[in-house]
Amino acid sequence: MLRSKIIATGSYTPERILANSDLEKIVDTSDEWITERTGIRERRIARKSEATSDLAYEASKNALKQAGLKAKDIDLIIVATVTGDMPVPSTACILQDKLDAKMAAAFDINAACSGFIYALSVADAYIKNGMHKRILVVGAEILTKFTDWEDRTTCILFGDGAGAAILEATDGERGIISTKIHSDGSMWNLLHTPGGGSKHPTSKETINKKLHFIKMKGNETFKVAVRTLESLVVETLRENKLKPSQLSLLIPHQANLRIIQATANRLGLPMDKVVVNLERYGNTSAASVPIALDEAVRTGRIKEDDYILLEAFGGGLTWASALIKW
Ligand code: COA
């Protein structure tokens, strides 16, 4: 059976660290509040000169190195991001140029925090129908350039980073078993960046009104996220006739430790079977799942034949899962 297999992963996070104690000096907050409510202790901040494609480039180089491949071996690049370098062209095209991946078609996907899993599902379908053989899938974000540093309800949450995975066509039982993607556009305004698009093109007014920054109704989003992710992971396992005890690792989107714990509890999974790194990176949107996946691979937490479940929830609203036999 033709499947797509993740043959290598890579990630990159900027060097500069912003700790909760630094945020105490910027807005009316405390390390205690942030840690208790979110689990986040610090996050990485990109340099002024760095664009999202630069982070994506570093993560992709690491993945190519792990795979022992050259960029010209890749025939498609998909970048999931909501903080691309510019509206046109796609960040994937800029990444293609930086990598000199001449043989690859390239496009972006916007599914906010679920973007990497959405991109995986597209890549998986292209590989299964024979259109592409080797695909680079990247989740990359510089959220901190779209963050309102005067809004304590959002600025404590976000960080920058990138993660990448290389998928290859393979015969056999191992690889991506299933992907599920969902959306509910009726709740688009729970999490959005209103300015800079065709609805509110950039003007002095949009800037004065801070419409170019990310807005989130955190508490409402939290409730929908918990409810939705709990049923998503249960359904994903049920449809694939797997018991939670057969899962080796859950790799969730890193938005809030309480959301992650609720999802793990619903499956009866002990936390040592859950990858958590948000204390170091915060919420990096589309980058969070591939960074966590890469850390799990590099620290030896994933072994051959393990069942791994990826899941994410984000603006759109969107939510998605991917079940993998490693
Ligand atoms: N420091 C101190 N107090 C803060 C604060 C901060 N940084 N941010 C908000 N507060 C205050 C609020 O003003 C509120 O005060 P009040 O009770 O006097 O009105 C109180 O803390 C509780 O706020 P609330 O928004 O209800 O907190 P919460 O428990 O929902 O936690 C989030 C806030 C943002 C951490 C949480 O809602 C969350 O993680 N949301 C979902 C994120 C997510 O999954 N997004 C989708 C994927 S990206």
Side-chain angles (χ1 to χ4, degrees):
M1 180 180 186
L2 191 62
R3 282 199 198 280
S4 42
K5 189 163 172 282
I6 296 179
I7 57 160
T9 59
S11 63
Y12 171 79
T13 51
E15 271 166 36
R16 191 180 149 210
I17 294 174
L18 188 76
N20 290 349
S21 55
D22 300 316
L23 283 163
E24 288 176 349
K25 293 170 204 145
I26 304 173
V27 286
D28 179 16
T29 191
S30 65
D31 175 33
E32 194 190 354
W33 192 95
I34 302 171
T35 309
E36 270 178 17
R37 297 287 178 124
T38 70
I40 300 165
R41 292 182 183 278
E42 58 187 43
R43 66 288 289 144
R44 300 301 177 100
I45 312 280
R47 283 193 306 271
K48 218 172 167 184
S49 60
E50 265 174 329
T52 296
S53 64
D54 295 315
L55 276 50
Y57 173 67
E58 295 300 331
S60 302
K61 270 199 316 190
N62 289 339
L64 285 167
K65 193 171 166 202
Q66 198 193 76
L69 292 172
K70 300 233 165 3
K72 67 166 175 36
D73 299 323
I74 300 293
D75 61 14
L76 178 64
I77 298 172
I78 310 177
V79 174
T81 186
V82 289
T83 57
D85 289 22
M86 43 188 98
V88 184
S90 67
T91 300
C93 280
I94 299 171
L95 176 64
Q96 185 227 32
D97 180 46
K98 285 184 176 159
L99 288 168
D100 198 23
K102 286 197 164 47
M103 307 308 287
F107 61 86
D108 286 359
I109 279 185
N110 175 340
C113 304
S114 315
F116 179 77
I117 302 180
Y118 264 65
L120 266 192
S121 79
V122 173
D124 183 43
Y126 275 149
I127 283 179
K128 280 186 182 146
N129 76 12
M131 269 179 76
H132 292 275
K133 292 205 159 40
R134 211 178 272 133
I135 304 180
L136 172 65
V137 180
V138 184
E141 306 279 10
I142 299 188
L143 293 162
T144 62
K145 290 190 185 178
F146 299 85
T147 297
D148 180 354
W149 293 101
E150 292 177 351
D151 175 9
R152 68 173 184 173
T153 69
T154 54
C155 76
I156 55 142
L157 300 170
F158 302 123
D160 305 331
I166 297 172
L167 271 66
E168 199 174 70
T170 174
D171 271 320
E173 289 307 306
R174 289 164 53 208
I176 296 180
I177 307 284
S178 90
T179 57
K180 284 172 77 73
I181 59 170
H182 295 281
S183 314
D184 184 348
S186 70
M187 287 183 276
W188 65 266
N189 64 344
L190 290 188
L191 178 45
H192 67 305
T193 307
S198 57
K199 191 172 169 68
H200 302 291
T202 307
S203 65
K204 279 182 189 152
E205 196 192 348
T206 62
I207 291 169
N208 289 341
K209 287 185 171 166
K210 297 184 165 191
L211 298 188
H212 52 299
F213 291 135
I214 300 165
K215 321 275 178 204
M216 179 165 71
K217 293 180 184 153
N219 194 272
E220 285 170 63
T221 310
F222 183 96
K223 286 176 195 154
V224 187
V226 169
R227 196 175 63 232
T228 310
L229 287 172
E230 284 184 353
S231 47
L232 174 69
V233 291
V234 169
E235 274 166 32
T236 305
L237 293 186
R238 191 187 296 139
E239 282 172 17
N240 290 286
K241 299 183 174 49
L242 277 187
K243 293 191 216 84
S245 58
Q246 290 174 274
L247 263 191
S248 296
L249 213 54
L250 175 70
I251 306 187
H253 170 48
Q254 310 283 314
N256 187 308
L257 184 58
R258 290 181 291 141
I259 298 177
I260 295 174
Q261 284 166 338
T263 316
N265 278 345
R266 182 68 183 79
L267 291 177
L269 277 188
M271 285 306 284
D272 64 0
K273 283 191 165 188
V274 184
V275 178
V276 178
N277 65 9
L278 87 177
E279 72 281 1
R280 283 175 287 132
Y281 302 126
N283 180 349
T284 58
S285 192
S288 94
V289 169
I291 292 173
L293 173 66
D294 183 51
E295 286 195 351
V297 168
R298 284 172 200 270
T299 53
R301 288 183 79 179
I302 306 182
K303 293 178 293 301
E304 214 167 86
D305 292 331
D306 277 355
Y307 282 108
I308 311 294
L309 181 60
L310 315 182
E311 48 92 337
F313 178 91
L317 299 174
T318 58
W319 55 103
S321 66
L323 182 68
I324 300 167
K325 186 169 185 182
W326 200 259

